[in-house]
Amino acid sequence: MNDDNSKETKAFVLLSGGIDSAVCLKKASEEHESVAAVHIDYGQQTEDIERANAEKQADGLGIPLYTCNYRAVFREFAEGTIENKEYDRERTTDEEHSVGYVPQRNLGSSQSS
């Protein structure tokens, strides 16, 4: 992103706390003068771990981290997995998904059959 009135380039990185977004954050920090990270809490089973990772990654690069709470938005998609923090990772639903699976997690991705 580049402001028309400034030569300074800016970037926002969606930072889940996983390896892919961590790599994007590092790359953005190398290529832009101003970088901010956004972490979205949608009630995922691993939110505590993901948020801790995102905080560590952003802090390590001196990048501000903003957290957005979207639990209410995703609650209708999650079919109970958001509130149930004690789940058996080996157990699956009738659709053969892990009980920690959150439908619609990657809304922008295409799926092939």
Side-chain angles (χ1 to χ4, degrees):
M1 185 168 103
N2 202 353
D3 186 336
D4 291 336
N5 299 326
S6 172
K7 298 288 184 192
E8 178 183 61
T9 60
K10 300 175 184 179
F12 290 95
V13 176
L14 293 175
L15 188 60
S16 68
I19 190 68
D20 295 341
S21 62
V23 169
C24 290
L25 185 69
K26 175 66 174 161
K27 186 157 178 64
S29 74
E30 293 170 349
E31 295 180 1
H32 300 278
E33 290 83 16
S34 177
V35 179
V38 178
H39 175 78
I40 298 176
D41 173 358
Y42 56 87
Q44 59 271 40
Q45 292 284 349
T46 55
E47 167 55 18
D48 293 341
I49 295 167
E50 290 179 22
R51 182 189 303 235
N53 286 343
E55 289 171 350
K56 183 176 181 181
Q57 293 158 2
D59 287 347
L61 294 172
I63 294 171
L65 176 66
Y66 301 92
T67 301
C68 303
N69 185 331
Y70 279 88
R71 287 176 180 249
V73 173
F74 282 90
R75 186 168 282 123
E76 67 183 86
F77 297 116
E79 301 175 6
T81 61
I82 290 175
E83 269 72 34
N84 181 10
K85 295 295 184 186
E86 301 297 323
Y87 71 98
D88 179 358
R89 292 177 188 262
E90 302 301 317
R91 190 169 62 90
T92 60
T93 65
D94 292 338
E95 293 84 22
E96 299 301 315
H97 292 296
S98 159
V99 294
Y101 169 75
V102 178
Q104 309 293 327
R105 179 174 182 174
N106 297 309
L107 293 173
S109 67
S110 60
Q111 298 178 349
S112 57
S113 344

